[in-house]
Amino acid sequence: MIAAMLNAPTVLQRCEDLARCTEEPGRITRRFATPALARARQLVAGWMRQAGLEPRLDAIGNLIGRREGSGPTLLLGSHLDTVRDGGRYDGALGVIVALAVAERVGQRDLPFALEIAAFADEEGARFGTAFLGSALLAGRVSARWLEHRDREGVRLADALDAWGGDSSALDAPPRRDLLGYLEVHIEQGPVLVEANMPVGVVDSIAGQMRAFVTFTGTAAHAGTTPMGSRRDALAAAAEWIGAVERVGRETAGLVATVGDVEVAPGAANVVPGSAVVSLDVRHADDGARNAAVQTLHALATAAAAARGVEIVWAQAHATASVPCDPRLTAQLAECARMVTGVEVPRVCSGAGHDAVMLGEVAPVGMLFVRCAGGISHHPAEAVTEEDVAVAIEVTASLVEELALERV
Ligand code: GLV
Ligand code: MN
Ligand code: MN
């Protein structure tokens, strides 16, 4: 039995404990700047102290635990926020595995400081701002994001300040002291299940774009307004949503998703006056993604014009495709081979990760853990103790190897 088998049950139990920190009873929902996320952070801060790390909060609400060491800083971590009605492991697993790794490497002197980050917002589930937490470390927080509003109309800056963050201190310089960033994450897809492998190494992370498209027509009486004289915002949006799916299906390697629609006034007997529609577009090739986004923009304009409806296209977020660091990736792959006895798969991640932002300031390496059925962003997310033990072992071996290289 590998030594990490001792830590894996604790990792799973801690993910279970975090799942109880939720905005919605009976579901796992832990979005940015909510009391549920603060409770999760508090649990993790206690575990950081147990692992010999000194926790601190930064201006955006990231929790960062540090163990001093000579030289630069090796950063491990992932995020603590979730999508609405999400799973136990997306993000949380990476934070808790990082703590297990810190415990494995013990209190001995390392030729670098060790930090574990529990990022406050990777999903963008409340304000549409993916990677907000890790963006702070990369010096990439945009003042524009502070004006984003959630569904209840609360401004991001106001939510952050009321939550104990500091919206006036988000222009901190990028971290330049990082030796590297390592992130363990569930795969959120089927490659490892199909290959029957516990872990895989990430080669690159696909670029992505998110936008909110507002279709504005005229609200009118559903019984008295003739079909020919309507400006039905939802009918225009619906035509376009079909086109989004079609373009996604017809373009190799592209995924295009409408995940949220907000209709107003929202009554059975009123022609919809407005529809705000989310759009998420991803591709490993940035040129192909940009071309698809242009096509979708033109199709939205056409669907709206056919009904006398207007559109406003507001891009919330865009990141280019990010390669993981070739050297760290090769080292991770070698550690994984040593632990499992076989070559593990290389994967391009369709999901976004905090490593996207950290890639701007440090070499990044990512290890994926098999998740049951490849299911994620869903309460049925599941991992096994055995696979988690492998992930701890592989990551701890890499940390030890990085330490050896520097002595
Ligand atoms: C995060 O999970 C994302 O890829 O949307
Ligand atoms: Mn995630
Ligand atoms: Mn996610």
Side-chain angles (χ1 to χ4, degrees), residues 242-257 279-296 299:
V244 171
E245 188 198 30
R246 196 179 61 250
V247 170
R249 281 177 189 266
E250 288 173 359
T251 313
L254 187 79
V255 282
T257 308
L279 175 67
D280 181 305
V281 182
R282 306 183 190 203
H283 199 290
D285 181 283
D286 294 331
R289 173 173 51 85
N290 289 333
V293 169
Q294 274 183 17
T295 302
L296 292 174
L299 289 169

Side-chain angles (χ1 to χ4, degrees), residues 179 202-203 322-331 346 362-366:
L179 175 65
V202 180
D203 268 333
V322 173
C324 290
D325 179 66
R327 185 158 179 272
L328 268 185
T329 303
Q331 287 175 301
R346 299 283 187 116
V364 297
M366 278 198 79

Side-chain angles (χ1 to χ4, degrees), residues 252-264:
L254 187 79
V255 282
T257 308
V258 170
D260 195 19
V261 181
E262 207 180 332
V263 180

Side-chain angles (χ1 to χ4, degrees), residues 42-269:
Q42 220 171 353
L43 280 180
V44 174
W47 298 329
M48 283 176 169
R49 287 193 190 91
Q50 280 176 32
L53 298 149
E54 187 53 43
R56 66 174 190 277
L57 288 178
D58 67 16
I60 201 87
N62 298 321
L63 174 68
I64 300 185
R66 181 173 173 91
R67 185 188 294 165
E68 289 302 339
S70 51
T73 304
L74 180 66
L75 182 67
L76 276 70
S78 193
H79 59 101
L80 280 185
D81 67 315
T82 71
V83 293
R84 265 210 142 101
D85 202 13
R88 287 161 174 67
Y89 303 105
D90 175 1
L93 182 71
V95 174
I96 307 302
V97 164
L99 283 168
V101 169
E103 282 169 12
R104 274 295 301 285
V105 297
Q107 294 299 329
R108 67 190 172 77
D109 280 345
L110 291 171
F112 40 74
L114 195 62
E115 286 195 2
I116 294 180
F119 291 114
D121 173 77
E122 181 256 17
E123 304 286 5
R126 183 169 173 196
F127 291 101
T129 48
F131 316 131
L132 187 56
S134 41
L136 183 67
L137 278 65
R140 283 280 308 272
V141 176
S142 154
R144 205 166 43 83
W145 297 346
L146 298 180
E147 302 308 320
H148 284 204
R149 290 181 187 266
D150 68 7
R151 269 191 169 217
E152 280 67 49
V154 180
R155 222 172 123 246
L156 194 159
D158 297 337
L160 174 61
D161 293 336
W163 191 58
D166 182 357
S167 63
S168 68
L170 301 180
D171 53 358
R175 293 279 303 260
R176 291 290 172 207
D177 61 318
L178 298 178
L179 175 65
Y181 172 67
L182 298 178
E183 180 166 356
V184 173
H185 203 285
I186 55 166
E187 184 206 338
Q188 310 184 274
V191 175
L192 297 175
V193 172
E194 281 165 14
N196 194 24
M197 296 296 287
V199 297
V201 173
V202 180
D203 268 333
S204 63
I205 305 168
Q208 56 173 271
M209 192 278 333
R210 280 190 211 176
F212 291 89
V213 186
T214 303
F215 292 78
T216 307
T218 306
H221 196 296
T224 60
T225 315
M227 295 306 290
S229 27
R230 296 180 176 203
R231 296 175 67 229
D232 184 330
L234 183 57
E239 180 184 316
W240 180 64
I241 292 168
V244 171
E245 188 198 30
R246 196 179 61 250
V247 170
R249 281 177 189 266
E250 288 173 359
T251 313
L254 187 79
V255 282
T257 308
V258 170
D260 195 19
V261 181
E262 207 180 332
V263 180
N269 59 351

